[in-house]
Structures are given as structure tokens and as C-alpha cells.
Amino acid sequence: ARAVSDGEGTATLLYVSTTEVYSPGKAGTSNTVFGKNAGASLAAGSNYNVFIGEGVSDASMNAAINNVGVGYNSLGALTSGDDNVAVGYGALLANTSANDNVAIGTYALKVNVTGGANVAMGFSALAANTGDNNTAVGTSALAANIGADNNTAVGKNALLNNTTGSTNVAMGQSA
């Protein structure tokens, strides 16, 4: 482990790796980064982020603020989205500019690019989502949701095949 300065006097990072040297570039302010290629392209204006794990948030960031990514490739495509939380392998993997999402579980909100204010908890919950204001709790809950908004699904496979229907509520396994 070693401390690395950004060279501009604005940030000091703790960096631990056995395979490569971290090059912080213009690393923004108050970011916490730990893992191979995590936050690899942090830019000035990308502030107050926490990235832990290999490949976490390794896209070219421009002013991404208040994000948390934990797990291999979580928030992997993040460029400018704010206030997102992704915990799990590939959680919020394709998210670029969406705001206010919470994804907990492997592939939760995996292909969400711009859909905002979604909550996904469980393996592949809201995996195909492109909509806004959806809540899915349970393995594969609302997994096929494409373009639908304001849905709530609680339970394994709840609203599994819903693609475009909005403003639905389903509770229970396969409901």
C-alpha cells in the first residue's frame, strides 16, 4: 500500500495493487478508489465517489458526483451520473448518465443506461431496465422491464416478463 498524490496538490489516494501502478490524472476531489483499474478515468469535476473492486467505474468520467460502486465492474460505464449506489458483480454496469439509482445484487440494473430513481435488490433485478421510478426486490424481479415506469415488484420473478406496462404492483413469487 502506498499514498499517491494527484500531482496537483488537490488529492491524495491510498493505492494497493500487485499488478499495476495507479495513475490518478486529474482525479477530482475526495474520491476513494481501491482496486485494479477502479476509477481509471476519473476527471476533474468527478467528486465524492467511492469505487471499490476491479474495473469499478473505469469509463471516462466527466463530472460524476456522489456515486458508490462496490464489486467487479459495477458502474463500469459511468460517465456523468450522480447519486448512484451499485453493489455486486456488474451492478449498474451500463449506467452512463442516470441519477439516483440503487442496485444491490449481481447484474441488478445491469443494462440501465439513463433510467433514474430505480431501486433493484436481488440477482438480475431490473436487469434490462430502461425506465424510471421502478422498485424491484427479489431474484429477477422486473428483469425484462424495458421502458416501463413506476412499477413495484416484490418477490422472486415478480413481474418477470413485464416489458412496457407501467404503474403495476406485484407481490409474491412469480406474481
Side-chain angles (χ1 to χ4, degrees), residues 77 81 92 94-99 101 109-116 129-130:
L92 272 168
N95 187 67
T96 57
S97 58
N99 301 319
N101 291 294
L109 279 163
K110 179 184 176 185
V111 302
N112 189 73
V113 175
T114 59
N129 185 67
T130 59

Side-chain angles (χ1 to χ4, degrees), residues 1-139:
R2 65 187 174 103
V4 179
S5 173
D6 68 356
E8 297 178 14
T10 59
T12 300
L13 305 162
L14 175 62
Y15 178 68
V16 178
S17 177
T18 59
T19 59
E20 64 186 18
V21 176
Y22 181 73
S23 177
K26 296 179 180 177
T29 301
S30 300
N31 292 299
T32 301
V33 179
F34 182 84
K36 182 180 176 185
N37 295 324
S41 297
L42 275 168
S46 291
N47 305 317
Y48 315 110
N49 298 293
V50 176
F51 302 132
I52 300 172
E54 183 175 345
V56 175
S57 201
D58 60 352
S60 294
M61 268 186 273
N62 181 18
I65 300 171
N66 301 329
N67 295 287
V68 176
V70 179
Y72 185 87
N73 276 343
S74 64
L75 286 172
L78 182 67
T79 55
S80 62
D82 299 334
D83 304 306
N84 295 291
V85 175
V87 178
Y89 179 96
L92 272 168
L93 177 64
N95 187 67
T96 57
S97 58
N99 301 319
D100 308 317
N101 291 294
V102 176
I104 299 173
T106 298
Y107 299 133
L109 279 163
K110 179 184 176 185
V111 302
N112 189 73
V113 175
T114 59
N118 295 292
V119 176
M121 295 178 69
F123 177 84
S124 291
L126 280 166
N129 185 67
T130 59
D132 299 314
N133 305 313
N134 294 292
T135 301
V137 178
T139 298

